Amino acid sequence: MIDEGVLIVGGGLAAARCAEGLRRLGYDGRVRVLCGEAHLPYNRPPLSKELLDPAAEPELPALRAGDWYAERDIEIVLGSRASQLDPSAQRVTTEDGATLFYGKLVIATGSKPRMLSLFEGHANVSTLRTLEDSQVIRGVIAEQGKLAVIGAGFIGQEVAAAARAAGAAVTVIELEQLPLIGVLGADVAQWFADVHREEGVELLLGTQVSEIVGDGRIESLTLADGHRVDCDHVLVGIGVAPDVAWLESAGFTETGVPTDELGRTELPDVYAAGDVAAVYDPFLERHVLAGHWEAAARHGIQVATAILGRDAAPTPLSSFWTDQYGKRIQYLGHAELADNVSIDGDPAARDFVAQYTRGGELVGALIVGRPRAVGELRERLRYMTERTPV
Ligand code: FAD
């Protein structure tokens, strides 16, 4: 009988945490991690933050050294991508023609950045997901090139902040009237806009690129409002989609791989964790794509627990952090549910807490420069995570 133990397809944070969790919980079967990239599992947050500093050493922010996996008998297969899943045969095929059988499969292929078709085919355009992508942007910043960033989400904002910190010129172009207004509301979104402008970012809001000037290489962008933006490089930061290209034949789409609270999919012996997984959230009563670091790390461990039939941890609280202009900004909960926001502190000094409430109850918080407030706010939001998985 073929049972090759646990096969983890991915090779990012969720995959690494799942493999670690299996060994920590005493699993002694075969554990293989199929990594699409040629690198050991690594941390992505530094790619849009400290690793963009031209003065920093461009080292791989590996989660663990190679020996660490070998010492725990975790097989890491680098630079190999799954191309197909056949759940009835418990078999994964790779792009290089290998066939891998599994007893349990963990889908942890993360997400991939969205691209706008308008920009395709131009040399000086990129997205930011991998170490190599980060090095491209770092190179532009180091040469003091003019950077145009499409999208004022967290990635776009962090790159803008890193570029300004290194003295490079940056223009951010955002379709919405204010950055992140849909999630954080007008007051906090206005604060983000003000901060970037104070730091010298050219922030163009409520507009989009209508035309590209340049043949093969973009020289400038013409916006819908007629504005012209000269640039040496364009970063497209308009969000991500679950990386399910290899799962099409298994019926999964870009809405993600639906799982229950424990990470179990509807397919027998198949689990999913991290950005690719649409995990059922008992508080919101729907499947949710998390897209954030803490969720990916916790899902990875959760799946290890579920595979071994151990007690499950509560659903993690939705959380995110971003570092901009030397400040740590933390976000907890679900601000989008709020009917009111109150601000305590001094936004102009970049030192405040925004509390989002619904019917007077706290549903989310944004914390700027006050790390000590985080613990108490987490505690107050714990009720969102307390429904025990079944
Ligand atoms: P990933 O880390 O994306 O790993 C998935 C891996 O699977 C990739 O290596 C991919 O190449 C591989 N893969 C894909 N398809 C296949 C295949 N067919 N076969 C084999 N392998 C495959 N979150 C925060 O909370 N705070 C932050 O400040 C923050 N900053 C970020 C900055 C950047 C630049 C990025 C890109 C993300 C950031 N995030 C942040 C989000 C966080 O890093 C992700 O949520 C987390 O990396 C998700 O982990 P994952 O393991 O699900 O996916």
Side-chain angles (χ1 to χ4, degrees):
M1 192 185 77
I2 300 173
D3 177 352
E4 299 263 14
V6 181
L7 173 63
I8 305 172
V9 178
L13 175 64
R17 288 288 195 268
C18 181
E20 292 183 34
L22 286 166
R23 287 294 184 242
R24 199 153 19 89
L25 293 166
Y27 177 71
D28 62 2
R30 192 168 184 197
V31 178
R32 286 168 293 171
V33 185
L34 194 67
C35 302
E37 293 178 66
H39 306 293
L40 288 172
Y42 63 94
N43 238 344
R44 292 182 203 277
L47 305 182
S48 50
K49 304 178 183 70
E50 54 266 34
L51 287 181
L52 292 181
D53 178 354
E57 278 298 314
E59 275 178 16
L60 180 79
L63 291 160
R64 302 280 187 189
D67 306 356
W68 193 93
Y69 298 100
E71 281 161 11
R72 285 154 186 83
D73 201 16
I74 296 169
E75 299 168 48
I76 300 278
V77 186
L78 295 181
S80 178
R81 292 180 69 84
S83 56
Q84 215 178 349
L85 165 63
D86 179 348
S88 55
Q90 311 237 142
R91 183 176 63 198
V92 168
T93 312
T94 67
E95 284 176 359
D96 44 18
T99 299
L100 309 171
F101 291 93
Y102 61 81
K104 308 275 183 199
L105 174 70
V106 182
I107 298 169
T109 43
S111 50
K112 56 178 192 303
R114 294 186 191 277
M115 180 42 104
L116 291 164
S117 53
L118 184 68
F119 291 102
E120 274 164 13
H122 291 88
N124 51 339
V125 177
S126 60
T127 53
L128 177 47
R129 186 79 197 169
T130 65
L131 180 68
E132 290 75 11
D133 296 338
S134 174
Q135 285 170 348
V136 168
I137 304 296
R138 181 176 184 268
V140 176
I141 294 173
E143 285 169 19
Q144 298 286 290
K146 279 189 197 153
L147 193 58
V149 176
I150 313 297
F154 285 117
I155 297 285
Q157 290 192 31
E158 288 182 352
V159 170
R164 289 305 302 137
V170 55
T171 301
V172 177
I173 300 154
E174 165 62 49
L175 190 57
E176 296 290 342
Q177 296 301 323
L178 286 169
L180 303 165
I181 186 167
V183 190
L184 299 177
D187 292 349
V188 173
Q190 184 64 57
W191 177 80
F192 275 102
D194 293 345
V195 167
H196 287 290
R197 286 185 172 136
E198 279 163 25
E199 297 286 347
V201 173
E202 185 185 26
L203 184 60
L204 305 176
L205 298 168
T207 189
Q208 61 185 314
V209 178
S210 60
E211 206 185 320
I212 288 173
V213 181
D215 190 12
R217 228 187 135 70
I218 299 171
E219 289 160 16
S220 67
L221 306 170
T222 308
L223 306 189
D225 56 11
H227 201 106
R228 183 179 133 167
V229 177
D230 294 332
C231 56
D232 297 305
H233 193 88
V234 177
L235 171 73
V236 178
I238 56 165
V240 296
D243 198 340
V244 290
W246 66 289
L247 293 168
E248 272 167 21
S249 61
F252 296 115
T253 66
E254 283 198 352
T255 54
V257 178
T259 76
D260 65 8
E261 294 155 65
L262 306 181
R264 296 178 293 207
T265 73
E266 284 187 348
L267 297 173
D269 298 316
V270 178
Y271 301 73
D275 281 10
V276 75
V279 180
Y280 186 75
D281 183 317
F283 177 75
L284 297 175
E285 297 181 333
R286 59 182 168 83
H287 289 89
V288 175
L289 286 171
H292 300 321
W293 193 97
E294 187 179 350
R298 297 246 209 149
H299 289 162
I301 296 164
Q302 181 73 279
V303 164
T305 312
I307 287 173
L308 299 179
R310 303 288 173 82
D311 287 345
T315 311
L317 179 66
S318 174
S319 76
F320 181 84
W321 81 92
T322 174
D323 295 331
Q324 298 182 26
Y325 307 111
K327 285 279 176 193
R328 169 135 307 186
I329 301 169
Q330 281 153 292
Y331 170 76
L332 302 171
H334 293 283
E336 75 280 6
L337 301 177
D339 55 26
N340 187 49
V341 55
S342 61
I343 293 181
D344 170 34
D346 184 358
R350 302 181 189 177
D351 175 28
F352 69 97
V353 175
Q355 294 196 23
Y356 294 84
T357 52
R358 181 179 59 180
E361 183 169 47
L362 190 71
V363 290
L366 184 96
I367 303 114
V368 180
R370 294 188 172 189
R372 276 193 297 244
V374 174
E376 189 231 319
L377 289 161
R378 264 188 188 275
E379 194 53 33
R380 286 175 58 198
L381 289 166
R382 197 150 64 96
Y383 74 95
M384 290 183 158
T385 69
E386 272 172 349
R387 294 185 201 180
T388 317
V390 283

